[in-house]
């Protein structure tokens, strides 16, 4: 049985009939071309999918560099072309070999490349951008005076860094305040103690003088005023604070105050006459006259009494050293 196309029938490996084109025609050159185009399109799609992640990673980096470059150049232009930095910029470029040292006049430079003529500093900045950027970066790094860097550091510093940096000043201020308060308190106590010692010592001496004058005339003179003034002075001396050496000296002085009792009317089995009472009165008067200095020494500064303590300790240990 003949076929429609005039060819012997053929079967596919699975026993299927041969495929036909879109209009019932078998595949020819146009079928092969369509298949090749499909395979090429699929391969291109795969390549695009593989390249997409790399493009996503690379693109931000290039974008960041492109966005940062104008800002960096603006900073360099503002800083290095400033009137007070222009001379340093030229010096830096000469040292880096970017400009020739034979500058003809102010504001005129000459690049070190062959064939380059003289030009203004602004022209060199535009025509030799890389050389300008290199020289300006070196100048800003050497001077450590970059406005951009200073602004970044200032923004990076938070309240905690500021607080930590101010701690030494705060501690010093607190110590000075405490030291001032302590010094004022010590000075106030010393002034108050000085006034009390001075007034009570003067009252005791006045009472002693009156009593001695009366005793020379009458052995039975009233001793009450002397006893009262003496006890008041003893009370002030007992309240002295500070180093142990000062407290000990105050206690010794309080116990040695004269006229704890009235002077005697008789001595050695006989009544004291006017001359005898005058002699006893003079001895007491002399001891009392040396008393004001001893009383006021009690009020000397603590440093003096600590020095006294060291001297007494050295004196006690001196014989043992030998």
């Amino acid at each position: 049985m003949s076929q429609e196309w005039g060819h012997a029938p053929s079967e596919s490996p699975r026993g299927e009939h041969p495929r036909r084109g879109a209009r019932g025609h078998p595949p020819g050159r146009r079928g092969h071309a369509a298949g090749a185009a499909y395979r090429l399109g699929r391969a291109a799609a795969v390549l695009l999918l593989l390249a997409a992640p790399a493009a996503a990673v690379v693109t931000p980096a290039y974008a960041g560099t492109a966005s940062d470059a104008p800002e960096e150049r603006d900073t360099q232009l503002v800083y290095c072309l400033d009137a007070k930095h222009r001379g340093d910029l030229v010096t830096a470029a000469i040292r880096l070999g970017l400009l020739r040292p034979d500058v003809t006049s102010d504001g005129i430079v000459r690049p070190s490349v062959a064939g380059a003529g003289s030009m203004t500093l602004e022209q060199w900045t535009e025509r030799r951008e890389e050389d300008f950027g290199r020289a300006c970066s070196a100048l800003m790094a050497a001077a450590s005076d970059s406005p951009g860097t200073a602004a970044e550091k200032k923004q990076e510093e938070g309240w905690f860094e500021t607080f930590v940096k101010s701690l030494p000043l705060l501690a010093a201020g607190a110590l000075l305040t405490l030291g001032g308060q302590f010094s004022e308190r010590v000075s106030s106590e010393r002034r108050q103690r000085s006034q009390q010692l001075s007034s009570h010592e003067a009252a005791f001496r006045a009472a002693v003088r009156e009593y001695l004058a009366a005793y020379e005339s009458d052995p039975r003179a009233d001793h009450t005023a002397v006893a009262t003034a003496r006890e008041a002075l003893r009370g002030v001396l007992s309240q002295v604070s500070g180093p142990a050496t000062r407290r000990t000296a105050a206690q010794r002085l309080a116990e040695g105050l004269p006229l704890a009792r009235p002077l005697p009317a008789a001595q050695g089995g006989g009544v004291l006459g006017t001359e005898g009472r005058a002699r006893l009165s003079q001895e007491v008067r002399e001891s009392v006259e040396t008393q004001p200095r001893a009383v006021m020494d009690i009020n000397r500064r603590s440093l003096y009494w600590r020095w006294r303590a060291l001297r007494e300790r050295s004196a006690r240990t001196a014989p043992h050293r030998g």
Side-chain angles (χ1 to χ4, degrees):
M1 182 176 176
S2 61
Q3 299 294 324
E4 181 180 0
W5 302 102
H7 297 283
S10 61
E11 295 182 358
S12 63
R14 296 182 181 181
E16 298 176 350
H17 294 286
R19 293 180 298 174
R20 299 180 181 273
R23 296 182 179 180
H25 301 285
R29 292 183 178 178
R30 288 187 298 176
H32 289 294
Y38 170 75
R39 288 191 296 270
L40 288 175
R42 185 172 60 181
V46 172
L47 291 176
L48 289 175
L49 290 176
L50 292 176
V57 174
V58 174
T59 301
Y62 283 103
T65 304
S67 62
D68 292 343
E71 296 180 1
E72 181 180 359
R73 179 167 176 80
D74 291 344
T75 302
Q76 291 178 345
L77 289 172
V78 172
Y79 180 79
C80 292
L81 292 183
D82 187 73
K84 60 182 179 181
H85 297 144
R86 293 170 71 94
D88 296 334
L89 173 64
V90 174
T91 302
I94 292 175
R95 291 181 179 178
L96 295 175
L98 304 175
L99 293 177
R100 295 179 59 179
D102 52 345
V103 179
T104 57
S105 61
D106 294 339
I108 303 300
V109 297
R110 183 176 300 172
S112 58
V113 295
S118 299
M119 61 186 69
T120 63
L121 192 61
E122 286 75 8
Q123 291 174 342
W124 176 70
T125 300
E126 297 175 357
R127 298 175 184 178
R128 308 290 300 178
E129 292 184 4
E130 295 183 0
D131 293 350
F132 165 73
R134 179 183 172 190
C136 186
S137 298
L139 174 61
M140 294 170 68
S144 298
D145 193 21
S146 171
T149 304
E152 291 177 1
K153 290 183 178 179
K154 187 174 182 180
Q155 292 176 358
E156 291 175 359
E157 291 182 355
W159 67 268
F160 183 74
E161 289 78 1
T162 305
F163 174 74
V164 170
K165 289 181 179 180
S166 61
L167 276 180
L169 295 177
L170 294 175
L175 290 177
L176 289 175
T177 302
L178 292 176
Q181 293 176 352
F182 176 77
S183 177
E184 179 60 26
R185 181 174 61 83
V186 171
S187 299
S188 178
E189 291 178 355
R190 186 167 176 266
R191 288 192 300 268
Q192 183 179 3
R193 184 171 57 240
S194 176
Q195 293 174 358
Q196 292 178 347
L197 287 172
S198 178
S199 60
H200 285 82
E201 191 276 332
F204 176 67
R205 279 192 300 116
V208 168
R209 284 195 298 266
E210 292 179 2
Y211 170 74
L212 293 178
Y215 171 74
E216 291 178 1
S217 302
D218 182 6
R220 294 185 299 272
D222 188 10
H223 181 262
T224 304
V226 174
T228 302
R230 186 177 184 275
E231 287 302 317
L233 181 57
R234 279 173 54 87
V236 175
L237 290 172
S238 65
Q239 295 176 1
V240 171
S241 60
T245 50
R246 179 162 60 189
R247 295 196 304 270
T248 302
Q251 183 179 0
R252 188 182 301 116
L253 182 60
E255 294 175 352
L257 290 176
L259 295 178
R261 292 183 298 274
L263 292 177
Q267 192 175 31
V271 177
L272 287 173
T274 303
E275 293 182 359
R277 292 195 303 271
R279 186 182 68 254
L280 288 177
S281 177
Q282 183 62 27
E283 291 177 358
V284 174
R285 189 177 289 108
E286 290 177 357
S287 66
V288 171
E289 292 301 328
T290 61
Q291 179 179 288
R293 181 177 179 82
V295 172
M296 298 313 297
D297 281 345
I298 296 298
N299 200 42
R300 299 185 71 169
R301 297 185 181 276
S302 299
L303 184 61
Y304 166 79
W305 292 103
R306 290 192 176 93
W307 172 79
R308 286 257 320 245
L310 291 176
R311 190 179 64 176
E312 294 176 1
R313 190 179 300 112
S314 301
R316 288 195 300 268
T317 57
H320 300 286
R321 296 178 183 175

